[in-house]
């Protein structure tokens, strides 16, 4: 099937660009001796995870137990879940997973560590736990090297657990000094930091400027989006991800309405003005959404689309868009080569 | 299973409140002689559509052919798709549907009408088509009574089509004068406006103040959310929809982090400050999301949650939240009674 025969809205992934994006980051990280552990949040598709591993990734990063379960069933052997796993239901599933493949997790509190330790001891496994620390993003994570060292020591002494290192998101100027200070606190105890896991696509090409970071987790780089272009992390020609839409209404000479809204693109602006770049009309502004319609101002364009015309949108934030679709269509040279279910989508727990 | 044994994040629907919401609007519309045609965009669950019809709804409203296909397979007999259906693939599916149940659609352009007519003529069916007009929302829709009358005439003369009336969203002060003016233009031709379909939950209790509107389409009313409370359309005690979350991190005395972010709640603020109401800590502010974490400021609260504590969130906009989950859990008196797959979710075409 040709791309022009796809009905809309459809997510189209350019397979050549996808391959190139996977290889580009892998080569860069290889060159600098940094372990690559891509985050599958962007694609949520086992086959793409396998492509990343075949290219040289050591394993993958998931955010939910349910995501890791699907990836394990698809044959992925090394999965990092940088999340505080709490509660008996999730802990039991985590232990089942840890028997079948290499699983590691994070903690930023003693409460999390206590739960992990009890579950791992009962399951008679040794679970690697990394300490999550904050590098300025004010997300999760301990906030001082002393807290990090204390929690690392707690993990190291907890039955069933192994201290696996440090983790933060995203890597920033605060990352390396924090790691150094933590190492200084842990060295006297003979506790080594085997892995320091950093991440992020926006500043992925600066990964080599963080000598303390041994592993990089990037997600968005596989597809790319308008935000990554805006931030200078990717070029327009490198973006592999677009949404094919149709103009369904032209109520005024300036206004056009697309067959995708907030349930197609999400309402995520990612801090940018407007909601996406329209490839055929780069001067147009995708200025608003209702749930099933996208509103475009074509007033700055020389020509205007007809009703029924197909329009290609590069969304601001591809991760939340792929998460809204049941499937994505892989295209090579304009021909559909594969349709991938977004297998991990909606696995909330 | 008790609600306290549900893992998080989970959508919990209070079945008593759901029943009451369905009946409350039905009784109001019945009392005023207004046809009820609820929009299933909010729940996307066939069983809830059947509850609405058993309560007295004439049929349902869907936005996508794929949604209507699932509802038809589930036994729903009368489906309105207020959307410009364009392109051979969708038109063919529409005709298949129209043979199996009562389907009606809208158009706001001659291009849409031409496509519908060709398909209906070939399928040898008579398809009711309503003219969509704008009541001030600047979405789709013709913008003057003259345009509406011209398009109605075109539909009435198009082979395979029947002029089904007028449709707008939402009903507003502009709706009735527009309908009257259009009727005045159509009367000399002997063309009656059999249905005027308006809609919206925010001002649903004003439906009786629109004497020209014969049918009401509301979606959000079944569940309710923080925006509907804010707009005065529903009371807090009437909201049937909440998201059960867990506090997974407490990095500072004031900050707490929930196990749900923009992939759980969407980034839709619906014009409100913050992203939801936390029932156990109403003074807390759910001020930001990353994809899998929600950030809460507890500084205004007398007490603060522990890590692992369960927290109930009423989101700003329930429609986009249910659209992110694979299933919702129906609860009565604290006990789980049913788990419904969100069967229509992700059906983009």
């Amino acid at each position: 099937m040709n791309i022009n025969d796809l009905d809309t809205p459809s997510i189209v992934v350019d397979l050549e660009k996808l391959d190139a994006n996977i290889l580009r980051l892998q080569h860069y990280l290889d060159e600098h001796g940094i372990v690559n552990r891509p985050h599958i949040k962007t694609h949520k598709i086992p086959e793409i995870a396998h492509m990343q591993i075949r290219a040289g990734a050591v394993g993958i990063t998931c955010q939910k137990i349910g995501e890791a379960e699907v990836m394990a069933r698809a044959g992925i052997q090394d999965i990092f879940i940088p999340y505080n796993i709490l509660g008996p239901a999730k802990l039991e599933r985590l232990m089942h997973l840890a028997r079948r493949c290499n699983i590691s997790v994070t903690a930023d509190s003693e409460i999390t560590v206590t739960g992990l330790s009890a579950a791992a001891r009962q399951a008679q496994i040794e679970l690697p736990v990394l300490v999550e620390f904050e590098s300025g993003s004010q997300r999760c994570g301990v906030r001082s090297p002393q807290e990090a060292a204390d929690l690392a020591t707690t993990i190291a002494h907890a039955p069933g657990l192994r201290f696996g290192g440090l983790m933060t998101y995203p890597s920033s100027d605060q990352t390396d000094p924090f790691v150094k200070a933590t190492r200084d606190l842990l060295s006297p105890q003979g506790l080594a930091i085997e892995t320091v896991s950093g991440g992020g696509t926006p500043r992925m090409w600066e990964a080599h400027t963080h000598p303390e970071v041994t592993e990089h987790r990037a997600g968005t780089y596989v597809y790319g989006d308008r935000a990554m272009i805006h931030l200078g992390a990717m070029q327009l020609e490198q973006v592999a991800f677009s949404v094919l839409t149709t103009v369904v209404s032209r109520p005024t000479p300036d206004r056009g309405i697309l067959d995708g809204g907030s349930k197609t693109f999400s309402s995520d602006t990612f801090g940018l003005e407007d909601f996406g770049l329209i490839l055929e009309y780069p001067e147009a502004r995708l200025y608003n959404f209702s749930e099933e319609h996208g509103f475009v101002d074509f007033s700055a364009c020389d020509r205007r689309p007809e009703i029924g015309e197909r329009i290609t949108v590069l969304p601001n934030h591809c991760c939340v868009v792929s998460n809204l679709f049941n499937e994505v269509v892989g295209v090579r040279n304009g021909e559909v080569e594969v349709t991938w279910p977004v297998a991990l989508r909606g696995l909330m727990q």
Side-chain angles (χ1 to χ4, degrees), chain A residues 59-346:
Chain A
I60 60 168
T61 307
C62 291
Q63 210 73 349
K64 301 278 184 177
I65 306 269
E67 297 174 344
E69 286 169 342
V70 175
M71 285 297 188
R73 281 200 290 272
I76 304 290
Q77 285 291 303
D78 190 326
I79 304 175
F80 179 36
I81 308 175
Y83 212 89
N84 287 287
I85 306 295
L86 293 161
K90 289 195 182 78
L91 286 169
E92 186 180 341
R93 291 161 65 199
L94 181 67
M95 295 306 136
H96 286 312
L97 262 178
R99 289 211 187 85
R100 289 151 54 205
C101 53
N102 296 324
I103 294 281
S104 50
V105 300
T106 57
D108 72 356
S109 72
E110 287 205 26
I111 294 177
T112 299
V113 170
T114 302
L116 291 169
S117 173
R121 193 173 49 178
Q122 202 188 337
Q124 297 184 294
I125 61 153
E126 187 190 66
L127 182 73
V129 180
L130 286 73
V131 171
E132 177 166 4
F133 69 98
E134 191 200 300
S135 282
S137 67
Q138 305 206 326
R139 296 181 170 215
C140 294
V142 298
R143 302 182 69 225
S144 73
Q146 187 62 56
E147 282 179 88
D150 289 347
L151 197 58
T153 307
T154 303
I155 293 167
H157 292 110
L161 306 186
R162 183 163 63 81
F163 171 57
L166 302 175
M167 169 264 169
T168 197
Y169 180 85
S171 304
S172 79
D173 295 346
Q174 298 176 34
T175 302
D176 297 83
F178 193 109
V179 175
K180 267 186 211 161
T182 308
R183 178 182 298 115
D184 290 345
L185 291 165
L186 289 174
S187 291
Q189 305 176 44
L191 209 52
I193 301 173
E194 59 182 62
T195 292
V196 178
S197 182
T201 292
R203 299 174 73 176
M204 59 185 166
W205 307 121
E206 298 170 26
H208 69 285
T209 67
H210 299 291
E212 298 288 348
V213 177
T214 65
E215 166 179 291
H216 193 79
R217 310 183 316 278
T220 313
Y221 82 102
V222 278
Y223 286 158
D225 52 28
R226 184 170 171 243
M228 292 309 118
I229 300 169
H230 184 79
L231 293 168
M234 296 176 76
Q235 307 294 320
L236 173 59
E237 309 75 52
Q238 296 170 340
V239 173
F241 184 95
S242 59
V243 181
L244 215 57
T245 67
T246 297
V247 177
V248 292
S249 180
R250 289 294 320 281
T252 72
D254 286 341
R255 181 161 23 115
I257 299 183
L258 309 181
D259 62 350
S262 64
K263 281 182 173 167
T264 308
F265 290 99
S266 95
S267 304
D268 214 335
T269 61
F270 226 43
L272 302 185
E273 206 176 340
D274 300 334
F275 291 93
L277 171 68
I278 297 180
L279 290 187
E280 297 84 356
Y281 298 89
E283 296 85 12
R285 291 188 49 221
L286 181 54
Y287 64 92
N288 204 3
F289 287 134
S290 60
E291 285 175 46
E292 299 293 5
H293 289 110
F295 302 91
V296 184
D297 177 2
F298 288 99
S299 60
C301 306
D302 290 338
R303 60 188 185 92
R304 313 287 164 91
E306 299 291 322
I307 292 170
E309 190 173 320
R310 292 152 77 88
I311 294 258
T312 312
V313 179
L314 294 199
N316 286 8
H317 187 190
C318 62
C319 309
V320 291
V321 179
S322 73
N323 188 52
L324 288 164
F325 277 72
N326 286 344
E327 58 189 34
V328 306
V329 177
V331 168
R332 198 182 302 271
N333 299 323
E335 291 293 323
V336 173
E337 191 169 295
V338 64
T339 299
W340 281 314
V342 185
L344 278 68
R345 169 175 171 254

Side-chain angles (χ1 to χ4, degrees), chain A residues 16-30:
Chain A
E16 273 190 28
K17 294 180 181 182
L18 175 68
D19 281 336
N21 292 341
I22 289 171
L23 290 176
R24 192 182 310 111
L25 181 63
Q26 186 68 52
H27 289 162
Y28 163 76
L29 294 175
D30 285 348

